[in-house]
Structure formats: structure tokens, C-alpha cells
Amino acid sequence: MSAYPVDPYDPDPAYLAFWRERHLCTLTTLRADGSPHVVPVGVTYDPEAGLARVITNKSSAKVGHVLAAGAQGARVSVCQVDGRRWATLEGRARIAAEPARVADAERRYAERYGRVPSPNPDRVAIEITLTSAMGHG
């Protein structure tokens, strides 16, 4: 895998392979007071679309933080670590509630994590339009 920085739209094969492995990740959003809110999540990475996706409940704090940022989206990062290997994706997050976009995010989650998420009528997808990436390992 490359040392940082990485082109989020054209990662090297090792970086992309690391994001295809099953790893728990973290999502960092910012609270109204500017302090970081870091939570464990499952993340999928789609360099062709320039997106990372997280599925979650629409009433979660992370969704509230993204919505509070307004139409321009919230600045966020997602990260995963495995020993000395690590990878971070950064960008602007927006909430997707449209059924087709949520279903796509669920399908990608099932591919990466090897399990279909249980049905949840309150599920949304956090879509992160990527602006930068970095990693090492």
C-alpha cells in the first residue's frame, strides 16, 4: 500500500484491496461546538464514484451532525486500522434517504462485510464525496 497521500479517485491496488477487506472503521463528524464525535461504523469505498458510504439510522447523532452542516455537507473522515496499516478517506458528507441509494449502500455493505443488514425502515446512507485520502502500510 502507498504511503500517504493517495488519490481517492485512483488509489493503488493495495490501498483499494485494504478497503475491500472486512474491517471495523470509525466515522468522525463535528458537533455544534466543533468537538469531534467519533463512532464505529461499517464503510464502503467506491473510488469510481468518488464516494464512501455508511448506513445508519436517520435518528443517529452522526446524521444530525451532517444535517446541521447544511446543503454544502459536513466535513468528515472515515478511517480503518489493522496493526501498522491504516487508511483514511476525507470529504463532504450528505444524507441520502432515497430508497434506491439506501439499497445500493446496503448492497455494498453486504459485499464488504459478508452479511445483509437487517431491514430498517429508518435507515439512511451517509454519502461522503471524497476530497482526499491517505494511508500507510
Side-chain angles (χ1 to χ4, degrees):
M1 179 180 0
S2 300
Y4 60 93
V6 174
D7 180 347
Y9 294 86
D10 189 25
D12 66 63
Y15 189 83
L16 186 55
F18 185 44
W19 276 104
R20 299 280 195 266
E21 295 172 11
R22 186 181 192 282
H23 292 287
L24 184 62
C25 303
T26 59
L27 168 70
T28 302
T29 58
L30 298 176
R31 297 181 181 100
D33 67 2
S35 64
H37 175 79
V38 183
V39 294
V41 294
V43 175
T44 61
Y45 175 32
D46 179 1
E48 294 82 17
L51 292 174
R53 295 174 180 89
V54 174
I55 57 173
T56 189
N57 195 296
K58 68 182 179 184
S59 64
S60 69
K62 55 190 161 287
V63 169
H65 299 153
V66 171
L67 291 173
Q72 75 276 10
R75 294 186 66 187
V76 303
S77 65
V78 291
C79 182
Q80 65 182 23
V81 177
D82 181 36
R84 296 177 62 149
R85 296 185 305 160
W86 61 271
T88 299
L89 300 169
E90 298 177 338
R92 292 274 179 182
R94 292 173 185 82
I95 304 304
E98 298 85 353
R101 289 168 64 187
V102 174
D104 182 48
E106 291 171 331
R107 179 187 59 78
R108 292 170 186 276
Y109 177 94
E111 286 175 9
R112 181 173 188 198
Y113 290 97
R115 70 174 193 83
V116 175
S118 59
N120 179 353
D122 293 329
R123 181 170 290 130
V124 296
I126 299 174
E127 294 182 340
I128 304 163
T129 302
L130 300 174
T131 57
S132 64
M134 59 188 111
H136 181 76

